mmCIF file of all heavy atoms in Angstrom:
data_model
loop_
_atom_site.group_PDB
_atom_site.id
_atom_site.type_symbol
_atom_site.label_atom_id
_atom_site.label_comp_id
_atom_site.label_asym_id
_atom_site.label_seq_id
_atom_site.Cartn_x
_atom_site.Cartn_y
_atom_site.Cartn_z
ATOM 1 N N MET Z 136 -47.695 -3.267 -26.392
ATOM 2 C CA MET Z 136 -46.497 -4.011 -25.927
ATOM 3 C C MET Z 136 -45.575 -3.139 -25.164
ATOM 4 O O MET Z 136 -45.441 -1.988 -25.470
ATOM 5 C CB MET Z 136 -45.679 -4.450 -27.163
ATOM 6 C CG MET Z 136 -46.224 -5.818 -27.578
ATOM 7 S SD MET Z 136 -44.894 -6.567 -28.564
ATOM 8 C CE MET Z 136 -45.864 -6.958 -29.997
ATOM 9 N N GLU Z 137 -44.888 -3.717 -24.259
ATOM 10 C CA GLU Z 137 -43.936 -3.006 -23.448
ATOM 11 C C GLU Z 137 -42.508 -3.349 -23.776
ATOM 12 O O GLU Z 137 -42.261 -4.434 -24.147
ATOM 13 C CB GLU Z 137 -44.102 -3.573 -21.938
ATOM 14 C CG GLU Z 137 -43.498 -2.688 -20.926
ATOM 15 C CD GLU Z 137 -43.800 -3.025 -19.558
ATOM 16 O OE1 GLU Z 137 -45.027 -3.258 -19.235
ATOM 17 O OE2 GLU Z 137 -42.868 -3.251 -18.758
ATOM 18 N N ALA Z 138 -41.790 -2.267 -23.951
ATOM 19 C CA ALA Z 138 -40.325 -2.448 -24.367
ATOM 20 C C ALA Z 138 -39.510 -2.972 -23.289
ATOM 21 O O ALA Z 138 -39.730 -2.587 -22.201
ATOM 22 C CB ALA Z 138 -39.794 -1.139 -24.891
ATOM 23 N N GLN Z 139 -38.624 -4.001 -23.669
ATOM 24 C CA GLN Z 139 -37.727 -4.471 -22.645
ATOM 25 C C GLN Z 139 -36.576 -3.563 -22.416
ATOM 26 O O GLN Z 139 -36.059 -2.908 -23.283
ATOM 27 C CB GLN Z 139 -37.193 -5.804 -23.216
ATOM 28 C CG GLN Z 139 -38.180 -6.927 -22.938
ATOM 29 C CD GLN Z 139 -37.436 -8.316 -23.332
ATOM 30 O OE1 GLN Z 139 -36.545 -8.313 -24.183
ATOM 31 N NE2 GLN Z 139 -37.931 -9.368 -22.726
ATOM 32 N N LYS Z 140 -36.238 -3.434 -21.104
ATOM 33 C CA LYS Z 140 -35.072 -2.665 -20.721
ATOM 34 C C LYS Z 140 -33.840 -3.558 -21.036
ATOM 35 O O LYS Z 140 -33.642 -4.625 -20.520
ATOM 36 C CB LYS Z 140 -35.198 -2.249 -19.278
ATOM 37 C CG LYS Z 140 -34.020 -1.332 -18.853
ATOM 38 C CD LYS Z 140 -34.212 -0.816 -17.506
ATOM 39 C CE LYS Z 140 -33.097 0.078 -17.173
ATOM 40 N NZ LYS Z 140 -33.265 0.465 -15.730
ATOM 41 N N LYS Z 141 -32.861 -3.012 -21.809
ATOM 42 C CA LYS Z 141 -31.687 -3.646 -22.156
ATOM 43 C C LYS Z 141 -30.553 -3.254 -21.180
ATOM 44 O O LYS Z 141 -30.373 -2.044 -20.753
ATOM 45 C CB LYS Z 141 -31.178 -3.389 -23.563
ATOM 46 C CG LYS Z 141 -32.136 -3.902 -24.525
ATOM 47 C CD LYS Z 141 -31.575 -3.665 -25.883
ATOM 48 C CE LYS Z 141 -32.518 -2.805 -26.802
ATOM 49 N NZ LYS Z 141 -32.040 -2.395 -27.974
ATOM 50 N N SER Z 142 -29.610 -4.181 -20.856
ATOM 51 C CA SER Z 142 -28.447 -3.818 -19.996
ATOM 52 C C SER Z 142 -27.432 -3.275 -20.918
ATOM 53 O O SER Z 142 -26.969 -3.945 -21.804
ATOM 54 C CB SER Z 142 -27.923 -5.072 -19.330
ATOM 55 O OG SER Z 142 -26.749 -4.803 -18.657
ATOM 56 N N LYS Z 143 -27.018 -2.059 -20.601
ATOM 57 C CA LYS Z 143 -25.958 -1.447 -21.359
ATOM 58 C C LYS Z 143 -24.564 -1.412 -20.660
ATOM 59 O O LYS Z 143 -23.681 -0.630 -21.264
ATOM 60 C CB LYS Z 143 -26.373 -0.065 -21.866
ATOM 61 C CG LYS Z 143 -27.638 -0.062 -22.609
ATOM 62 C CD LYS Z 143 -28.138 1.331 -22.950
ATOM 63 C CE LYS Z 143 -29.180 1.627 -21.893
ATOM 64 N NZ LYS Z 143 -30.021 2.701 -22.056
ATOM 65 N N GLY Z 144 -24.461 -1.934 -19.540
ATOM 66 C CA GLY Z 144 -23.183 -1.883 -18.854
ATOM 67 C C GLY Z 144 -22.115 -2.473 -19.525
ATOM 68 O O GLY Z 144 -20.929 -2.002 -19.534
ATOM 69 N N THR Z 145 -22.296 -3.585 -20.249
ATOM 70 C CA THR Z 145 -21.243 -4.182 -21.017
ATOM 71 C C THR Z 145 -20.753 -3.270 -22.068
ATOM 72 O O THR Z 145 -19.444 -3.151 -22.342
ATOM 73 C CB THR Z 145 -21.695 -5.524 -21.691
ATOM 74 O OG1 THR Z 145 -22.162 -6.361 -20.683
ATOM 75 C CG2 THR Z 145 -20.587 -6.192 -22.488
ATOM 76 N N TYR Z 146 -21.572 -2.593 -22.807
ATOM 77 C CA TYR Z 146 -21.239 -1.654 -23.837
ATOM 78 C C TYR Z 146 -20.411 -0.499 -23.328
ATOM 79 O O TYR Z 146 -19.547 -0.007 -23.953
ATOM 80 C CB TYR Z 146 -22.458 -1.158 -24.648
ATOM 81 C CG TYR Z 146 -23.100 -2.295 -25.458
ATOM 82 C CD1 TYR Z 146 -24.473 -2.549 -25.297
ATOM 83 C CD2 TYR Z 146 -22.358 -3.055 -26.443
ATOM 84 C CE1 TYR Z 146 -24.980 -3.529 -25.994
ATOM 85 C CE2 TYR Z 146 -22.964 -4.035 -27.074
ATOM 86 C CZ TYR Z 146 -24.360 -4.298 -26.962
ATOM 87 O OH TYR Z 146 -24.802 -5.292 -27.697
ATOM 88 N N TRP Z 147 -20.822 -0.010 -22.126
ATOM 89 C CA TRP Z 147 -20.118 1.121 -21.463
ATOM 90 C C TRP Z 147 -18.675 0.686 -21.144
ATOM 91 O O TRP Z 147 -17.711 1.365 -21.361
ATOM 92 C CB TRP Z 147 -20.811 1.665 -20.239
ATOM 93 C CG TRP Z 147 -21.824 2.601 -20.536
ATOM 94 C CD1 TRP Z 147 -23.222 2.415 -20.386
ATOM 95 C CD2 TRP Z 147 -21.803 3.959 -21.168
ATOM 96 N NE1 TRP Z 147 -23.958 3.429 -20.739
ATOM 97 C CE2 TRP Z 147 -23.107 4.406 -21.379
ATOM 98 C CE3 TRP Z 147 -20.688 4.648 -21.623
ATOM 99 C CZ2 TRP Z 147 -23.313 5.654 -21.882
ATOM 100 C CZ3 TRP Z 147 -20.853 5.872 -22.202
ATOM 101 C CH2 TRP Z 147 -22.252 6.417 -22.238
ATOM 102 N N LEU Z 148 -18.549 -0.590 -20.653
ATOM 103 C CA LEU Z 148 -17.231 -1.044 -20.276
ATOM 104 C C LEU Z 148 -16.355 -1.181 -21.518
ATOM 105 O O LEU Z 148 -15.232 -0.810 -21.551
ATOM 106 C CB LEU Z 148 -17.358 -2.423 -19.543
ATOM 107 C CG LEU Z 148 -16.106 -3.085 -19.161
ATOM 108 C CD1 LEU Z 148 -15.338 -2.351 -18.068
ATOM 109 C CD2 LEU Z 148 -16.348 -4.559 -18.687
ATOM 110 N N LEU Z 149 -16.923 -1.738 -22.560
ATOM 111 C CA LEU Z 149 -16.228 -1.884 -23.772
ATOM 112 C C LEU Z 149 -15.849 -0.590 -24.432
ATOM 113 O O LEU Z 149 -14.775 -0.353 -25.037
ATOM 114 C CB LEU Z 149 -16.947 -2.715 -24.870
ATOM 115 C CG LEU Z 149 -17.108 -4.185 -24.522
ATOM 116 C CD1 LEU Z 149 -18.103 -4.893 -25.384
ATOM 117 C CD2 LEU Z 149 -15.672 -4.835 -24.481
ATOM 118 N N PHE Z 150 -16.718 0.427 -24.263
ATOM 119 C CA PHE Z 150 -16.419 1.779 -24.707
ATOM 120 C C PHE Z 150 -15.232 2.410 -23.968
ATOM 121 O O PHE Z 150 -14.258 2.932 -24.619
ATOM 122 C CB PHE Z 150 -17.627 2.662 -24.573
ATOM 123 C CG PHE Z 150 -17.360 4.179 -24.698
ATOM 124 C CD1 PHE Z 150 -16.993 4.621 -25.961
ATOM 125 C CD2 PHE Z 150 -17.399 4.967 -23.689
ATOM 126 C CE1 PHE Z 150 -16.721 6.064 -26.123
ATOM 127 C CE2 PHE Z 150 -17.080 6.353 -23.729
ATOM 128 C CZ PHE Z 150 -16.755 6.822 -25.040
ATOM 129 N N PHE Z 151 -15.105 2.237 -22.710
ATOM 130 C CA PHE Z 151 -14.149 2.830 -21.853
ATOM 131 C C PHE Z 151 -12.743 2.121 -22.115
ATOM 132 O O PHE Z 151 -11.714 2.745 -22.231
ATOM 133 C CB PHE Z 151 -14.398 2.815 -20.396
ATOM 134 C CG PHE Z 151 -15.483 3.847 -19.996
ATOM 135 C CD1 PHE Z 151 -16.607 3.449 -19.301
ATOM 136 C CD2 PHE Z 151 -15.328 5.073 -20.450
ATOM 137 C CE1 PHE Z 151 -17.538 4.379 -19.007
ATOM 138 C CE2 PHE Z 151 -16.335 6.026 -20.051
ATOM 139 C CZ PHE Z 151 -17.432 5.700 -19.348
ATOM 140 N N ILE Z 152 -12.817 0.721 -22.356
ATOM 141 C CA ILE Z 152 -11.625 0.028 -22.695
ATOM 142 C C ILE Z 152 -11.133 0.460 -24.030
ATOM 143 O O ILE Z 152 -9.855 0.659 -24.208
ATOM 144 C CB ILE Z 152 -11.834 -1.502 -22.655
ATOM 145 C CG1 ILE Z 152 -12.136 -2.007 -21.251
ATOM 146 C CG2 ILE Z 152 -10.785 -2.324 -23.333
ATOM 147 C CD1 ILE Z 152 -12.502 -3.356 -21.039
ATOM 148 N N SER Z 153 -11.982 0.644 -25.039
ATOM 149 C CA SER Z 153 -11.523 0.948 -26.364
ATOM 150 C C SER Z 153 -11.033 2.386 -26.418
ATOM 151 O O SER Z 153 -10.068 2.728 -27.142
ATOM 152 C CB SER Z 153 -12.565 0.654 -27.367
ATOM 153 O OG SER Z 153 -13.777 1.415 -27.158
ATOM 154 N N THR Z 154 -11.686 3.246 -25.603
ATOM 155 C CA THR Z 154 -11.200 4.636 -25.462
ATOM 156 C C THR Z 154 -9.725 4.684 -24.813
ATOM 157 O O THR Z 154 -8.842 5.430 -25.269
ATOM 158 C CB THR Z 154 -12.203 5.475 -24.664
ATOM 159 O OG1 THR Z 154 -13.450 5.406 -25.258
ATOM 160 C CG2 THR Z 154 -11.654 6.906 -24.553
ATOM 161 N N ALA Z 155 -9.583 3.812 -23.862
ATOM 162 C CA ALA Z 155 -8.169 3.868 -23.189
ATOM 163 C C ALA Z 155 -7.191 3.225 -24.246
ATOM 164 O O ALA Z 155 -6.012 3.753 -24.184
ATOM 165 C CB ALA Z 155 -8.295 2.879 -22.008
ATOM 166 N N ALA Z 156 -7.598 2.327 -24.997
ATOM 167 C CA ALA Z 156 -6.670 1.782 -26.048
ATOM 168 C C ALA Z 156 -6.342 2.808 -27.074
ATOM 169 O O ALA Z 156 -5.212 2.885 -27.537
ATOM 170 C CB ALA Z 156 -7.405 0.547 -26.718
ATOM 171 N N LEU Z 157 -7.371 3.545 -27.428
ATOM 172 C CA LEU Z 157 -7.191 4.663 -28.435
ATOM 173 C C LEU Z 157 -6.165 5.758 -27.831
ATOM 174 O O LEU Z 157 -5.285 6.228 -28.573
ATOM 175 C CB LEU Z 157 -8.420 5.345 -28.847
ATOM 176 C CG LEU Z 157 -8.366 6.486 -29.871
ATOM 177 C CD1 LEU Z 157 -7.772 5.996 -31.150
ATOM 178 C CD2 LEU Z 157 -9.751 7.135 -30.020
ATOM 179 N N LEU Z 158 -6.378 6.159 -26.644
ATOM 180 C CA LEU Z 158 -5.486 7.063 -25.938
ATOM 181 C C LEU Z 158 -4.063 6.572 -25.826
ATOM 182 O O LEU Z 158 -3.080 7.265 -26.119
ATOM 183 C CB LEU Z 158 -5.957 7.574 -24.546
ATOM 184 C CG LEU Z 158 -7.304 8.326 -24.682
ATOM 185 C CD1 LEU Z 158 -7.823 8.537 -23.272
ATOM 186 C CD2 LEU Z 158 -6.972 9.652 -25.376
ATOM 187 N N PHE Z 159 -3.977 5.294 -25.490
ATOM 188 C CA PHE Z 159 -2.598 4.659 -25.488
ATOM 189 C C PHE Z 159 -1.957 4.659 -26.808
ATOM 190 O O PHE Z 159 -0.721 4.922 -26.963
ATOM 191 C CB PHE Z 159 -2.765 3.335 -24.921
ATOM 192 C CG PHE Z 159 -1.513 2.489 -24.993
ATOM 193 C CD1 PHE Z 159 -0.536 2.635 -24.044
ATOM 194 C CD2 PHE Z 159 -1.174 1.508 -25.924
ATOM 195 C CE1 PHE Z 159 0.734 2.033 -23.956
ATOM 196 C CE2 PHE Z 159 -0.023 0.824 -25.980
ATOM 197 C CZ PHE Z 159 0.994 1.041 -24.977
ATOM 198 N N ALA Z 160 -2.747 4.312 -27.935
ATOM 199 C CA ALA Z 160 -2.217 4.393 -29.301
ATOM 200 C C ALA Z 160 -1.760 5.776 -29.673
ATOM 201 O O ALA Z 160 -0.788 5.907 -30.395
ATOM 202 C CB ALA Z 160 -3.315 3.755 -30.251
ATOM 203 N N ILE Z 161 -2.498 6.777 -29.254
ATOM 204 C CA ILE Z 161 -2.155 8.114 -29.664
ATOM 205 C C ILE Z 161 -0.841 8.556 -28.921
ATOM 206 O O ILE Z 161 0.052 9.142 -29.572
ATOM 207 C CB ILE Z 161 -3.264 9.118 -29.252
ATOM 208 C CG1 ILE Z 161 -4.535 8.926 -30.151
ATOM 209 C CG2 ILE Z 161 -2.751 10.636 -29.278
ATOM 210 C CD1 ILE Z 161 -5.682 9.588 -29.775
ATOM 211 N N PHE Z 162 -0.706 8.221 -27.659
ATOM 212 C CA PHE Z 162 0.465 8.764 -26.955
ATOM 213 C C PHE Z 162 1.762 7.930 -27.291
ATOM 214 O O PHE Z 162 2.862 8.303 -27.145
ATOM 215 C CB PHE Z 162 0.171 8.677 -25.444
ATOM 216 C CG PHE Z 162 -0.670 9.744 -24.964
ATOM 217 C CD1 PHE Z 162 -1.831 9.452 -24.278
ATOM 218 C CD2 PHE Z 162 -0.347 10.995 -25.237
ATOM 219 C CE1 PHE Z 162 -2.758 10.406 -23.974
ATOM 220 C CE2 PHE Z 162 -1.196 12.129 -24.765
ATOM 221 C CZ PHE Z 162 -2.375 11.748 -24.165
ATOM 222 N N THR Z 163 1.502 6.696 -27.774
ATOM 223 C CA THR Z 163 2.725 5.846 -28.111
ATOM 224 C C THR Z 163 3.057 5.897 -29.703
ATOM 225 O O THR Z 163 3.790 5.244 -30.091
ATOM 226 C CB THR Z 163 2.573 4.451 -27.762
ATOM 227 O OG1 THR Z 163 1.371 3.837 -28.378
ATOM 228 C CG2 THR Z 163 2.410 4.242 -26.275
ATOM 229 N N ASN Z 164 2.243 6.715 -30.442
ATOM 230 C CA ASN Z 164 2.361 6.865 -31.802
ATOM 231 C C ASN Z 164 2.284 5.604 -32.603
ATOM 232 O O ASN Z 164 3.120 5.240 -33.486
ATOM 233 C CB ASN Z 164 3.786 7.572 -32.170
ATOM 234 C CG ASN Z 164 3.828 9.056 -31.642
ATOM 235 O OD1 ASN Z 164 2.742 9.687 -31.657
ATOM 236 N ND2 ASN Z 164 4.962 9.434 -31.142
ATOM 237 N N TRP Z 165 1.297 4.810 -32.220
ATOM 238 C CA TRP Z 165 1.073 3.509 -32.850
ATOM 239 C C TRP Z 165 0.579 3.881 -34.247
ATOM 240 O O TRP Z 165 -0.374 4.550 -34.487
ATOM 241 C CB TRP Z 165 0.023 2.772 -32.078
ATOM 242 C CG TRP Z 165 -0.102 1.312 -32.485
ATOM 243 C CD1 TRP Z 165 0.907 0.418 -32.681
ATOM 244 C CD2 TRP Z 165 -1.365 0.687 -32.715
ATOM 245 N NE1 TRP Z 165 0.293 -0.758 -33.034
ATOM 246 C CE2 TRP Z 165 -1.043 -0.724 -33.133
ATOM 247 C CE3 TRP Z 165 -2.680 1.052 -32.742
ATOM 248 C CZ2 TRP Z 165 -1.940 -1.636 -33.471
ATOM 249 C CZ3 TRP Z 165 -3.615 0.076 -33.106
ATOM 250 C CH2 TRP Z 165 -3.229 -1.234 -33.437
ATOM 251 N N PRO Z 166 1.201 3.156 -35.262
ATOM 252 C CA PRO Z 166 0.910 3.581 -36.686
ATOM 253 C C PRO Z 166 -0.526 3.260 -37.102
ATOM 254 O O PRO Z 166 -1.116 3.787 -38.008
ATOM 255 C CB PRO Z 166 1.858 2.744 -37.538
ATOM 256 C CG PRO Z 166 2.577 1.885 -36.643
ATOM 257 C CD PRO Z 166 2.307 2.198 -35.222
ATOM 258 N N TRP Z 167 -1.191 2.246 -36.460
ATOM 259 C CA TRP Z 167 -2.504 1.772 -36.867
ATOM 260 C C TRP Z 167 -3.643 2.152 -35.886
ATOM 261 O O TRP Z 167 -4.576 1.505 -35.626
ATOM 262 C CB TRP Z 167 -2.632 0.276 -37.080
ATOM 263 C CG TRP Z 167 -1.669 -0.086 -38.165
ATOM 264 C CD1 TRP Z 167 -1.511 0.434 -39.438
ATOM 265 C CD2 TRP Z 167 -0.661 -1.188 -38.094
ATOM 266 N NE1 TRP Z 167 -0.619 -0.341 -40.132
ATOM 267 C CE2 TRP Z 167 -0.065 -1.327 -39.299
ATOM 268 C CE3 TRP Z 167 -0.425 -2.099 -37.133
ATOM 269 C CZ2 TRP Z 167 0.881 -2.247 -39.649
ATOM 270 C CZ3 TRP Z 167 0.578 -3.083 -37.338
ATOM 271 C CH2 TRP Z 167 1.223 -3.065 -38.625
ATOM 272 N N LEU Z 168 -3.452 3.365 -35.283
ATOM 273 C CA LEU Z 168 -4.483 3.822 -34.305
ATOM 274 C C LEU Z 168 -5.818 4.072 -34.802
ATOM 275 O O LEU Z 168 -6.827 3.950 -34.089
ATOM 276 C CB LEU Z 168 -3.956 4.987 -33.547
ATOM 277 C CG LEU Z 168 -3.844 6.324 -34.260
ATOM 278 C CD1 LEU Z 168 -5.078 7.242 -33.957
ATOM 279 C CD2 LEU Z 168 -2.633 7.119 -33.743
ATOM 280 N N THR Z 169 -5.953 4.327 -36.120
ATOM 281 C CA THR Z 169 -7.179 4.488 -36.784
ATOM 282 C C THR Z 169 -8.158 3.207 -36.814
ATOM 283 O O THR Z 169 -9.363 3.360 -36.975
ATOM 284 C CB THR Z 169 -7.148 5.140 -38.135
ATOM 285 O OG1 THR Z 169 -6.299 4.307 -38.973
ATOM 286 C CG2 THR Z 169 -6.456 6.476 -38.077
ATOM 287 N N LEU Z 170 -7.483 2.106 -36.601
ATOM 288 C CA LEU Z 170 -8.293 0.855 -36.490
ATOM 289 C C LEU Z 170 -9.161 0.808 -35.264
ATOM 290 O O LEU Z 170 -10.104 -0.020 -35.175
ATOM 291 C CB LEU Z 170 -7.393 -0.353 -36.637
ATOM 292 C CG LEU Z 170 -6.603 -0.438 -37.944
ATOM 293 C CD1 LEU Z 170 -5.592 -1.647 -37.875
ATOM 294 C CD2 LEU Z 170 -7.592 -0.667 -39.088
ATOM 295 N N ILE Z 171 -8.790 1.494 -34.237
ATOM 296 C CA ILE Z 171 -9.579 1.520 -32.981
ATOM 297 C C ILE Z 171 -10.752 2.353 -33.014
ATOM 298 O O ILE Z 171 -11.707 2.114 -32.243
ATOM 299 C CB ILE Z 171 -8.571 1.889 -31.840
ATOM 300 C CG1 ILE Z 171 -7.348 1.014 -31.743
ATOM 301 C CG2 ILE Z 171 -9.281 1.793 -30.479
ATOM 302 C CD1 ILE Z 171 -6.280 1.375 -30.845
ATOM 303 N N ILE Z 172 -10.702 3.463 -33.833
ATOM 304 C CA ILE Z 172 -11.842 4.366 -33.844
ATOM 305 C C ILE Z 172 -13.152 3.798 -34.095
ATOM 306 O O ILE Z 172 -14.155 4.158 -33.398
ATOM 307 C CB ILE Z 172 -11.427 5.505 -34.817
ATOM 308 C CG1 ILE Z 172 -10.271 6.278 -34.348
ATOM 309 C CG2 ILE Z 172 -12.652 6.488 -35.022
ATOM 310 C CD1 ILE Z 172 -9.774 7.309 -35.343
ATOM 311 N N PRO Z 173 -13.343 2.838 -35.099
ATOM 312 C CA PRO Z 173 -14.701 2.232 -35.262
ATOM 313 C C PRO Z 173 -15.210 1.541 -33.986
ATOM 314 O O PRO Z 173 -16.494 1.513 -33.700
ATOM 315 C CB PRO Z 173 -14.472 1.273 -36.335
ATOM 316 C CG PRO Z 173 -13.351 1.698 -37.055
ATOM 317 C CD PRO Z 173 -12.407 2.361 -36.124
ATOM 318 N N PHE Z 174 -14.301 0.893 -33.208
ATOM 319 C CA PHE Z 174 -14.791 0.215 -31.954
ATOM 320 C C PHE Z 174 -15.241 1.224 -30.932
ATOM 321 O O PHE Z 174 -16.258 1.038 -30.200
ATOM 322 C CB PHE Z 174 -13.676 -0.632 -31.376
ATOM 323 C CG PHE Z 174 -13.320 -1.788 -32.281
ATOM 324 C CD1 PHE Z 174 -12.214 -1.744 -33.096
ATOM 325 C CD2 PHE Z 174 -14.166 -2.903 -32.275
ATOM 326 C CE1 PHE Z 174 -11.877 -2.848 -33.903
ATOM 327 C CE2 PHE Z 174 -13.990 -3.980 -33.097
ATOM 328 C CZ PHE Z 174 -12.677 -4.004 -33.939
ATOM 329 N N VAL Z 175 -14.557 2.425 -30.828
ATOM 330 C CA VAL Z 175 -14.919 3.467 -29.836
ATOM 331 C C VAL Z 175 -16.319 4.015 -30.232
ATOM 332 O O VAL Z 175 -17.197 4.061 -29.393
ATOM 333 C CB VAL Z 175 -13.860 4.554 -29.865
ATOM 334 C CG1 VAL Z 175 -14.378 5.713 -29.039
ATOM 335 C CG2 VAL Z 175 -12.634 4.095 -29.333
ATOM 336 N N THR Z 176 -16.499 4.275 -31.560
ATOM 337 C CA THR Z 176 -17.792 4.873 -31.889
ATOM 338 C C THR Z 176 -18.850 3.881 -31.767
ATOM 339 O O THR Z 176 -20.070 4.254 -31.429
ATOM 340 C CB THR Z 176 -17.712 5.412 -33.325
ATOM 341 O OG1 THR Z 176 -17.322 4.403 -34.278
ATOM 342 C CG2 THR Z 176 -16.785 6.587 -33.388
ATOM 343 N N LEU Z 177 -18.639 2.612 -32.231
ATOM 344 C CA LEU Z 177 -19.674 1.516 -32.093
ATOM 345 C C LEU Z 177 -20.231 1.331 -30.704
ATOM 346 O O LEU Z 177 -21.382 1.417 -30.453
ATOM 347 C CB LEU Z 177 -19.167 0.270 -32.707
ATOM 348 C CG LEU Z 177 -20.111 -0.955 -32.545
ATOM 349 C CD1 LEU Z 177 -21.311 -0.852 -33.456
ATOM 350 C CD2 LEU Z 177 -19.406 -2.259 -32.737
ATOM 351 N N PHE Z 178 -19.271 1.240 -29.833
ATOM 352 C CA PHE Z 178 -19.641 0.855 -28.479
ATOM 353 C C PHE Z 178 -20.267 2.113 -27.818
ATOM 354 O O PHE Z 178 -21.147 1.930 -26.970
ATOM 355 C CB PHE Z 178 -18.540 0.449 -27.675
ATOM 356 C CG PHE Z 178 -17.947 -0.960 -28.034
ATOM 357 C CD1 PHE Z 178 -16.581 -1.183 -28.185
ATOM 358 C CD2 PHE Z 178 -18.866 -1.955 -28.344
ATOM 359 C CE1 PHE Z 178 -16.117 -2.452 -28.592
ATOM 360 C CE2 PHE Z 178 -18.490 -3.270 -28.744
ATOM 361 C CZ PHE Z 178 -17.085 -3.431 -28.899
ATOM 362 N N PHE Z 179 -19.926 3.275 -28.258
ATOM 363 C CA PHE Z 179 -20.570 4.503 -27.626
ATOM 364 C C PHE Z 179 -22.016 4.517 -28.123
ATOM 365 O O PHE Z 179 -22.895 4.721 -27.360
ATOM 366 C CB PHE Z 179 -19.850 5.764 -28.094
ATOM 367 C CG PHE Z 179 -20.468 6.972 -27.577
ATOM 368 C CD1 PHE Z 179 -20.469 7.317 -26.244
ATOM 369 C CD2 PHE Z 179 -21.179 7.841 -28.376
ATOM 370 C CE1 PHE Z 179 -21.109 8.482 -25.744
ATOM 371 C CE2 PHE Z 179 -21.787 9.025 -27.897
ATOM 372 C CZ PHE Z 179 -21.763 9.265 -26.590
ATOM 373 N N VAL Z 180 -22.232 4.269 -29.393
ATOM 374 C CA VAL Z 180 -23.608 4.338 -29.946
ATOM 375 C C VAL Z 180 -24.429 3.281 -29.371
ATOM 376 O O VAL Z 180 -25.589 3.464 -29.045
ATOM 377 C CB VAL Z 180 -23.508 4.157 -31.482
ATOM 378 C CG1 VAL Z 180 -24.883 3.928 -32.067
ATOM 379 C CG2 VAL Z 180 -22.960 5.525 -32.121
ATOM 380 N N LYS Z 181 -23.940 2.029 -29.109
ATOM 381 C CA LYS Z 181 -24.638 0.929 -28.601
ATOM 382 C C LYS Z 181 -25.005 1.329 -27.044
ATOM 383 O O LYS Z 181 -26.019 1.012 -26.565
ATOM 384 C CB LYS Z 181 -23.857 -0.386 -28.670
ATOM 385 C CG LYS Z 181 -23.746 -0.865 -30.029
ATOM 386 C CD LYS Z 181 -25.000 -1.372 -30.644
ATOM 387 C CE LYS Z 181 -25.169 -2.899 -30.384
ATOM 388 N NZ LYS Z 181 -26.458 -3.319 -30.885
ATOM 389 N N ALA Z 182 -23.975 1.911 -26.336
ATOM 390 C CA ALA Z 182 -24.181 2.221 -25.033
ATOM 391 C C ALA Z 182 -25.220 3.206 -24.755
ATOM 392 O O ALA Z 182 -26.039 3.328 -23.791
ATOM 393 C CB ALA Z 182 -22.904 2.677 -24.295
ATOM 394 N N MET Z 183 -25.371 4.219 -25.756
ATOM 395 C CA MET Z 183 -26.359 5.268 -25.688
ATOM 396 C C MET Z 183 -27.716 4.792 -26.303
ATOM 397 O O MET Z 183 -28.681 5.436 -26.233
ATOM 398 C CB MET Z 183 -25.850 6.530 -26.421
ATOM 399 C CG MET Z 183 -24.654 7.251 -25.884
ATOM 400 S SD MET Z 183 -25.040 7.894 -24.259
ATOM 401 C CE MET Z 183 -26.089 9.194 -24.874
ATOM 402 N N ASP Z 184 -27.772 3.602 -26.738
ATOM 403 C CA ASP Z 184 -28.970 2.984 -27.400
ATOM 404 C C ASP Z 184 -29.546 3.763 -28.478
ATOM 405 O O ASP Z 184 -30.751 4.007 -28.590
ATOM 406 C CB ASP Z 184 -30.027 2.839 -26.275
ATOM 407 C CG ASP Z 184 -30.982 1.699 -26.619
ATOM 408 O OD1 ASP Z 184 -30.667 0.914 -27.509
ATOM 409 O OD2 ASP Z 184 -32.103 1.696 -26.123
ATOM 410 N N ILE Z 185 -28.615 4.280 -29.375
ATOM 411 C CA ILE Z 185 -28.991 5.060 -30.553
ATOM 412 C C ILE Z 185 -29.445 4.050 -31.692
ATOM 413 O O ILE Z 185 -30.353 4.340 -32.306
ATOM 414 C CB ILE Z 185 -27.791 5.957 -31.040
ATOM 415 C CG1 ILE Z 185 -27.632 6.981 -29.909
ATOM 416 C CG2 ILE Z 185 -28.179 6.695 -32.317
ATOM 417 C CD1 ILE Z 185 -26.330 7.865 -30.178
ATOM 418 N N ILE Z 186 -28.709 2.930 -31.742
ATOM 419 C CA ILE Z 186 -29.147 1.891 -32.727
ATOM 420 C C ILE Z 186 -29.583 0.639 -32.109
ATOM 421 O O ILE Z 186 -29.290 0.446 -31.046
ATOM 422 C CB ILE Z 186 -28.009 1.557 -33.859
ATOM 423 C CG1 ILE Z 186 -26.763 1.096 -33.153
ATOM 424 C CG2 ILE Z 186 -27.779 2.849 -34.686
ATOM 425 C CD1 ILE Z 186 -25.750 0.542 -34.136
#
């Protein structure tokens, strides 16, 4: 069987958006910035096709 090639562009876009949101939360001292970290890591892992 041949493996299908998946489009990862959406995951890269979501990774960059969530990274920008994390940086914004860090610089503005947002109290709940740790809530963004799971999204950053999830979208990075999905974009790299690790899981």
